[in-house]
C-alpha cells in the first residue's frame, strides 16, 4: 500500500512523454509535479497522491500544448513514418516492429480520450476511481468509456490483422 | 498470459517512451524527494524558523535588556557622573540571556528538539545569535547615550559595558560544562551577582576606577587594553558556546 | 522504504549499551521487546540520528540518519519529555510544527486535525502541566505525527495510557503502519502482539531474536518469557 515512488515516476514519465514527445520536457514536468505536490501536501503516502500527481502533470502538459500549438498525434505520425523506413533488422525485431506499427495505426484511429483512458488505466494501472478524478468524470462514465475504448482497440487491431484470443 | 497482460503488452508497444528518463537526474531527484527535502519549501521556512524563535524567546529576556536601557536613561538624567556604573548591571543581562539559550535542557524539551528538521543545535545557535545581537545593540545604544555626558569614545564605553557582560557569559558557559553547573542552572545567576558586585565596587566614587569626569582622560590612555580585552572575550564566548553545543550532542544525561 | 541497521554498536566507558546489532525495517509495525536496560532506548536514539554509534551505520533508503534531510521524514516520541511551562497543548504542537518546517497555516490545520485524532481538543488550550500522564503521552504521539513521518519511532508509547487509550492507540498505529515504518518499543508484550508484523527482541544490548509473528504462532508472551529466562 505504500507509495512506490520509483514506479510512479516512470509511469508519470510515460504519460508525460506521450503528451510531449520530448525527454527533457517530460522529465521536467514529472519532477515539477512531484515538487508542487510535496509543497502542498507534504507526504506521498496519501490516498489521493497518484491522481493529484497526474492532474498536476496533465495541466503542465496542456500548458505546453498551448504554447507549442502541437498535438501528440502529429509527433507519433512522424515517428511512424520514420520507422517504416528502417532496414536491416533481424527477423524477430522485424516482427516486433510490424506489430508495433500495426498497434500504432490501430490506436491512431481511436479518439484522444480513448487513448488517454487506455494509457492511464490499462498501462499505468491507475484505478477507475482515480481516473475519474484525473479526467473530471464519474466513475461510471470512466468504466463505460474504458470498455468502449478497449472494444474499439480490439476491433481496430483486428483490422490490422492482429487477432487474438485475448 | 492473461488477457489483461497481453493487452498491456500490446499497448506498451505504442505508449512506451523511446527515450528513457535521464537516470542521473532521476536518481538525484528521487533521493531529494524521499528524504523530504524540496529546496523551495526549505528555504522559505528558514526565515520562518528564525522568526518563530524570536517569538518563543521569553519576554523576560527582551525586558532585561530594555530595563538596563531604561536605567541608563534615568541615571544619565539623574547623576551623569556615575553613569558608567551601568556596567554593574550587564552581568545580570548576560545571565538572563544565557539561561534563555538553555531552556530546552531546563525543561526536558531537548531530546524532542534534536529530531526536528530545525534541530536543537540550530535552535541554540539561533537564540544565542538573536539575543546576543539584541543585547549588543542595546548596549551600543547605551554607550552612544553615555557619550553625550562623558567625553570618552563610544568604543571605550562599550568595552566597559561589555567586559562584565562577557565575563559573566564566559563563566556561565564554563559552568555549563560541569555536572554541577548543569544541575544548577541558576548557579550562573550567583556568578552574575558576584561579578556585578565586583564591578560596582571597582566603579564606586571612592574606588580605584572611579569615574568622575576629570579622571576619564587617564582611562583613555589605557583604552586600547580594555578594547582588546573585550574583543578577545567576545571571541572566547562564541568559541565556548559552539563547543558546548557540540559536546552536548552526546550527553544523554542532559536531555531530560 | 528501508531502514537498515548495520552492525551498530554503542559503547560507553564502562558499558556496552548496544552490541553489533543488525536489522532491516520495512513498511509496517515492528515491535522492539526487551527489559529496561536492554538497550532499546539507545538503539532508538541512534535510529533517530541523535546519538552517534560507536561503530556501524544506520541508513534510510541509503541516506545516513545523521543527515538533516532524514529528520524531515522522522517522527519520534521519547520515553520521557518535558514541556515549556507556559505552553498549552496547542502551543506545544504549533511549536514543533514550526521546528519541523511547516508553514503556519498548514501547521494550524494539521495541529487541529491531530488534536482531534488523539482526543485532546477539549483541553488543547490548557497548559500542558495540567495534563495527566496519559494526556501528555497522547500529545507526544500527536507531535510525532505532525510531519506525516515515513519513519515513526516510539519509545514506550503506551506507558501511562489507560486500557481505552491503549486500544485507540493500537488502531492508530496499525493505520500508520500501512504506509510508514513504525518501530515501537515496550516491555509489555501484549502491546505489540496484535499490531506488530515483525518483532525484535533485545537483551543486554544484543538482538536475541527477530522475525515475523503471526497470531497462529501462539502466545508471543510465552515465547518471550522463555527466551529471556535462558
Amino acid at each position: 500500500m505504500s507509495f512506490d515512488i520509483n514506479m510512479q515516476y516512470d509511469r508519470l514519465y510515460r504519460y508525460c512523454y506521450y503528451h510531449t514527445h520530448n525527454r527533457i520536457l517530460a522529465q521536467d514536468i514529472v519532477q515539477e509535479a512531484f515538487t508542487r505536490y510535496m509543497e502542498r501536501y507534504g507526504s506521498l503516502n496519501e490516498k489521493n497522491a497518484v491522481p493529484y500527481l497526474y492532474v498536476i502533470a496533465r495541466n503542465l502538459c496542456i500548458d505546453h500544448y498551448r504554447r507549442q500549438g502541437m498535438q501528440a498525434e502529429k509527433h507519433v505520425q512522424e515517428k511512424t513514418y520514420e520507422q517504416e523506413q528502417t532496414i536491416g533488422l533481424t527477423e524477430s525485431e522485424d516482427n516486433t516492429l510490424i506489430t508495433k506499427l500495426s498497434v500504432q495505426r490501430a490506436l491512431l484511429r481511436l479518439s484522444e480520450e480513448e487513448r488517454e483512458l487506455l494509457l492511464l488505466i490499462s498501462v499505468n494501472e491507475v484505478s477507475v476511481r482515480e481516473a475519474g478524478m484525473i479526467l473530471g468524470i464519474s466513475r461510471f462514465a470512466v468504466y463505460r468509456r474504458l470498455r468502449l475504448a478497449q472494444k474499439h482497440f480490439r476491433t481496430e487491431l483486428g483490422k490490422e490483422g492482429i487477432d487474438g484470443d485475448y | 498470459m492473461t488477457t489483461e497482460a497481453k493487452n498491456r503488452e500490446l499497448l506498451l508497444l505504442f505508449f512506451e517512451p523511446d527515450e528513457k528518463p535521464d537516470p542521473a537526474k532521476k536518481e538525484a531527484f528521487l533521493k531529494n524527494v524521499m528524504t523530504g527535502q524540496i529546496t523551495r519549501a526549505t528555504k522559505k521556512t528558514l526565515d520562518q524558523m528564525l522568526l518563530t524563535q524570536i517569538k518563543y524567546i521569553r519576554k523576560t529576556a527582551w525586558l532585561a535588556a530594555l530595563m538596563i536601557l531604561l536605567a541608563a536613561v534615568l541615571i544619565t538624567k539623574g547623576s551623569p557622573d556615575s553613569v558608567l556604573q551601568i556596567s554593574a548591571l550587564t552581568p545580570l543581562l548576560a545571565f538572563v540571556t544565557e539561561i534563555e539559550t538553555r531552556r530546552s535542557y531546563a525543561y526536558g524539551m531537548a531530546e524532542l528538539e534534536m529530531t526536528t528538521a530545525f534541530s536543537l543545535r540550530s535552535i541554540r545557535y539561533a537564540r544565542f545569535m538573536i539575543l546576543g545581537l539584541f543585547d549588543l545593540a542595546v548596549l551600543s545604544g547605551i554607550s552612544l547615550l553615555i557619550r553625550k555626558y562623558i567625553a570618552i569614545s563610544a568604543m571605550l564605553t562599550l568595552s566597559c559595558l561589555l567586559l562584565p557582560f562577557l565575563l559573566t557569559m564566559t563563566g556561565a558557559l564554563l559552568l555549563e560544562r560541569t555536572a554541577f553547573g548543569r544541575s544548577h542552572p541558576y548557579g550562573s545567576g550567583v556568578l552574575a551577582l558576584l561579578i556585578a558586585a565586583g564591578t560596582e565596587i571597582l566603579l564606586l566614587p571612592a574606588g580605584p576606577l572611579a569615574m568622575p569626569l576629570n579622571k576619564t582622560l587617564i582611562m583613555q590612555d589605557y583604552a586600547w587594553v580594555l578594547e582588546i580585552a573585550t574583543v578577545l572575550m567576545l571571541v572566547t564566548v562564541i568559541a565556548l558556546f559552539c563547543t558546548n553545543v557540540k559536546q552536548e550532542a552526546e550527553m544523554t544525561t542532559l536531555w531530560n | 522504504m528501508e531502514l537498515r541497521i548495520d552492525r551498530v554498536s554503542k559503547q560507553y566507558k564502562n558499558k556496552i549499551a548496544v552490541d553489533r546489532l543488525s536489522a532491516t525495517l520495512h513498511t509496517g509495525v515492528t515491535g522492539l521487546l526487551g527489559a529496561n536496560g536492554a538497550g532499546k532506548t539507545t538503539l532508538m536514539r541512534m535510529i533517530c540520528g541523535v546519538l552517534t554509534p560507536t561503530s556501524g551505520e544506520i541508513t534510510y533508503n541509503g541516506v545516513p540518519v545523521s543527515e538533516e534531510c532524514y529528520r524531515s521524514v522522522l517522527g519520534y516520541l521519547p520515553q520521557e519529555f518535558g514541556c515549556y511551562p507556559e505552553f498549552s497543548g496547542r502551543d506545544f504542537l504549533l511549536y514543533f510544527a514550526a521546528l519541523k518546517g511547516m508553514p503556519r497555516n498548514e501547521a494550524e490545520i494539521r495541529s487541529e486535525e491531530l488534536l482531534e485524532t488523539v482526543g485532546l481538543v477539549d483541553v488543547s488550550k490548557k497548559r500542558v502541566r495540567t495534563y495527566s500522564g496519559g494526556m501528555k503521552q497522547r500529545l507526544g504521539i500527536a507531535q510525532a505525527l505532525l510531519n506525516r513521518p515515513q519513519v515513526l519511532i516510539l519509545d514506550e508509547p503506551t506507558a501511562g495510557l489507560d486500557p481505552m487509550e491503549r486500544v485507540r492507540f493500537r488502531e492508530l498505529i496499525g493505520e500508520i503502519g500501512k504506509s510508514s515504518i513504525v518501530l515501537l518499543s515496550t516491555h509489555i508484550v501484549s502491546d505489540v502482539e496484535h499490531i506488530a508484523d515483525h518483532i525484535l527482541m533485545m537483551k543486554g544490548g544484543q538482538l536475541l531474536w527477530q522475525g515475523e509473528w503471526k497470531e497462529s504462532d501462539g502466545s508471543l508472551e510465552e515465547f518471550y518469557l522463555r527466551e529471556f529466562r535462558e
Side-chain angles (χ1 to χ4, degrees), chain A residues 11-30:
Chain A
R11 285 178 173 178
L12 272 163
Y13 175 80
R14 185 185 289 140
Y15 181 82
C16 294
Y17 189 86
Y18 164 70
H19 282 291
T20 62
H21 277 279
N22 180 318
R23 181 215 221 193
I24 295 173
L25 185 60
Q27 202 165 3
D28 284 344
I29 289 179
V30 171

Side-chain angles (χ1 to χ4, degrees), chain A residues 5-6 9-10 13-14 17 23 27-28 31-32 35 39 79 100 103-104 107 122-123 153 166, chain B residues 3 7-8 10-22 25-26 29-30 33 38 40:
Chain A
I5 194 176
N6 213 342
Y9 185 103
D10 287 338
Y13 175 80
R14 185 185 289 140
Y17 189 86
R23 181 215 221 193
Q27 202 165 3
D28 284 344
Q31 299 196 175
E32 180 66 17
T35 306
E39 277 181 355
K79 253 186 350 134
K100 186 171 178 177
V103 169
Q104 276 172 356
L107 280 170
S122 305
V123 181
F153 179 50
Y166 78 96
Chain B
T3 307
N7 192 43
R8 189 166 184 262
L10 284 170
L11 286 168
L12 274 170
L13 288 175
F14 175 81
F15 285 114
E16 192 69 344
D18 293 327
E19 297 166 284
K20 295 280 175 247
D22 180 328
K25 189 168 163 184
K26 178 185 174 188
F29 182 76
L30 287 187
V33 172
I38 301 289
R40 264 184 274 172

Side-chain angles (χ1 to χ4, degrees), chain B residues 196-252:
Chain B
T199 319
E200 180 65 21
I201 293 172
L202 283 174
L203 294 175
L204 278 175
L209 290 178
M211 293 292 122
L213 290 165
N214 55 6
K215 280 208 180 149
T216 55
L217 293 170
I218 301 175
M219 266 247 341
Q220 273 169 309
D221 295 340
Y222 298 99
W224 64 276
V225 174
L226 287 173
E227 283 163 20
I228 291 185
T230 311
V231 173
L232 286 174
M233 287 233 101
L234 184 61
V235 171
T236 313
V237 163
I238 294 173
L240 263 179
F241 186 79
C242 294
T243 45
N244 278 12
V245 171
K246 289 211 173 78
Q247 259 188 8
E248 280 155 7
E250 287 289 314
M251 307 185 75
T252 60

Side-chain angles (χ1 to χ4, degrees), chain B residues 31-37 41-42 44-45 48-49 52-53 55-56 58 102-120 122-123 127 249-253 255-256, chain C residues 10 12 41 45 48 50-52 60-61 63 67-87 91-92 94-96 98-104 140 143 150:
Chain B
K31 187 179 165 191
N32 254 353
V33 172
M34 287 205 279
T35 49
Q37 181 186 42
T42 324
K44 181 178 71 178
T45 50
Q48 200 157 8
M49 187 262 178
T52 337
Q53 282 310 309
K55 193 184 133 188
Y56 285 110
R58 277 179 304 179
R102 294 192 54 73
R103 279 200 96 206
S104 310
Y105 289 114
Y107 292 104
M109 295 273 267
E111 192 171 359
L112 271 174
E113 286 172 357
M114 284 179 189
T115 57
T116 52
F118 290 118
S119 76
L120 179 60
S122 52
I123 295 168
R127 289 187 185 191
E250 287 289 314
M251 307 185 75
T252 60
T253 46
W255 301 355
N256 294 308
Chain C
K10 184 64 177 172
Y12 292 108
T41 299
R45 282 172 171 166
C48 289
V50 302
L51 220 50
T52 326
Y60 174 64
N61 290 344
V63 176
E67 302 237 341
E68 194 187 300
C69 45
Y70 169 69
R71 290 198 292 270
S72 310
V73 300
L74 174 69
Y76 177 48
L77 176 63
Q79 204 168 359
E80 275 165 15
F81 64 94
C83 182
Y84 296 133
E86 70 273 14
F87 274 3
D91 291 335
F92 183 83
L94 288 174
Y95 176 72
F96 279 101
L99 288 184
K100 292 183 188 220
M102 291 173 81
R104 179 78 192 191
Q143 166 281 137
Q150 291 176 20

Side-chain angles (χ1 to χ4, degrees), chain B residues 84-85 87-89 91-92 163-164 167-168 190-204 207-210:
Chain B
L84 274 177
Q85 285 175 6
S87 308
L89 289 176
L92 302 171
L163 273 174
L167 195 60
T168 316
V190 174
L191 178 67
L193 284 171
L194 288 173
I195 295 178
T199 319
E200 180 65 21
I201 293 172
L202 283 174
L203 294 175
L204 278 175
L209 290 178

